[in-house]
Amino acid sequence: SPPLRLPVVSSRTYSGASASPLRRRRRGGDDGGGGGGEMTVFHFLNCAFLTFGPHVVYYSATPLSEYDTIGTSIKAAAVYLGTALVKLVCLATLLKVPENDSFDPYQELMKVFIGFIDVAGLYFALTQLTHRNISQNHKFQAVGLGWAFADSVLHRLAPLWIGARGLEFTWEYIFQGLEANANLVMTLSLAALGSLMWLRKNKPRTLVPIIYACALLLATMPSITSYLRRSLEWQTPKVVGFELFSSLVMAFISWQLFSACQRPM
């Protein structure tokens, strides 16, 4: 009988793609993981800049940086953290955990009353804190900027750090950054109206009801967006679009009111 011959396996065959699928998967996984890691970091940086970048740009592009009002903004941020703690205690004490995600008028009404703690905090930041010798225009801008930045850090930094670094791309954090921009504009508008209510003594009597009505509308804006989400079942893009549009409208009205009160009577 002929001698038994064993098949010869060359080193090229052993190291090729067909002989080692495990090695090929590992090599491809390493390459893909590196690219995915770079993309997740890039996505996180984009979302973080969209969320916090406008605050820095606003401070640098306005006279706030020339007058060195960073101390006023830091004090306002500290006041915001104190009011946020008080609001958290009130929410945990007075509100019950909802069984579903539907709109509850009683719960939302309680949130509106609790939300006025923010108005009280802004009043304290505008009237009771010691500031440098800056004008009323710069004071309300510095207070509003510090207030809005602290709100973004407290409510959006952790979700960004945990979620935006995931491997799967989502629009959630893009909309979160746009919502932070709308909140910045609304907070500056509320601070401007607050300065007119509490710091401006001589103002036209006909504008006083409009000033208070606009301030009330801005203070209740979180409950309005909650109603749109839960009762009318608006999706996130539609709600964020409404917030951006509302912030621009309120900024324009606040600017007109502030300019009208600055004119000599």
Side-chain angles (χ1 to χ4, degrees):
S1 61
L4 181 63
R5 294 183 179 180
L6 297 177
V8 179
V9 180
S10 63
S11 58
R12 180 180 304 176
T13 305
Y14 181 78
S15 59
S18 60
S20 182
L22 179 60
R23 179 178 299 181
R24 188 176 70 254
R25 284 199 302 268
R26 287 179 178 176
R27 189 185 303 120
D30 293 341
D31 296 340
E38 293 176 359
M39 289 301 296
T40 55
V41 172
F42 184 70
H43 178 53
F44 168 74
L45 292 178
N46 282 338
C47 294
F49 182 78
L50 180 62
T51 304
F52 305 107
H55 302 79
V56 180
V57 172
Y58 186 90
Y59 180 82
S60 302
T62 57
L64 295 180
S65 58
E66 300 177 6
Y67 289 91
D68 193 19
T69 60
I70 188 67
T72 300
S73 298
I74 292 176
K75 292 178 182 178
V79 174
Y80 172 81
L81 294 178
T83 57
L85 179 61
V86 175
K87 285 175 58 180
L88 182 63
V89 173
C90 293
L91 289 172
T93 304
L94 301 178
L95 298 182
K96 61 181 181 179
V97 179
E99 298 179 356
N100 49 42
D101 201 31
S102 60
F103 183 84
D104 188 349
Y106 172 76
Q107 296 280 90
E108 295 301 325
L109 184 62
M110 292 299 299
K111 289 181 182 180
V112 169
F113 285 116
I114 295 174
F116 279 103
I117 297 176
D118 285 332
V119 179
L122 277 175
Y123 171 81
F124 180 84
L126 287 170
T127 61
Q128 303 300 318
L129 290 181
T130 57
H131 305 281
R132 295 185 56 183
N133 189 19
I134 57 178
S135 66
Q136 182 180 351
N137 298 354
H138 301 140
K139 181 184 294 186
F140 87 80
Q141 292 183 71
V143 169
L145 182 63
W147 195 276
F149 184 77
D151 178 79
S152 294
V153 170
L154 185 63
H155 293 97
R156 298 177 177 88
L157 181 59
L160 274 178
W161 179 255
I162 297 174
R165 295 167 65 244
L167 294 178
E168 184 178 357
F169 174 81
T170 174
W171 286 96
E172 176 184 356
Y173 306 103
I174 302 293
F175 290 126
Q176 191 177 103
L178 295 175
E179 195 173 20
N181 296 335
N183 180 70
L184 171 62
V185 177
M186 288 184 183
T187 304
L188 289 171
S189 301
L190 183 59
L193 296 174
S195 67
L196 294 180
M197 291 187 294
W198 305 315
L199 301 179
R200 186 74 179 181
K201 302 301 181 183
N202 298 325
K203 49 183 176 286
R205 294 181 178 272
T206 55
L207 297 181
V208 173
I210 302 176
I211 293 173
Y212 278 88
C214 292
L216 179 64
L217 181 61
L218 286 172
T220 57
M221 189 59 67
S223 296
I224 295 175
T225 55
S226 178
Y227 174 79
L228 296 177
R229 290 179 187 272
R230 298 183 178 182
S231 183
L232 299 184
E233 297 181 353
W234 281 21
Q235 299 299 321
T236 299
K238 197 173 181 179
V239 174
V240 174
F242 170 79
E243 290 177 331
L244 290 172
F245 177 77
S246 302
S247 64
L248 294 177
V249 172
M250 295 307 301
F252 178 77
I253 296 175
S254 301
W255 176 60
Q256 293 293 330
L257 292 173
F258 200 89
S259 300
C261 292
Q262 295 295 325
R263 303 190 189 103
M265 296 179 59

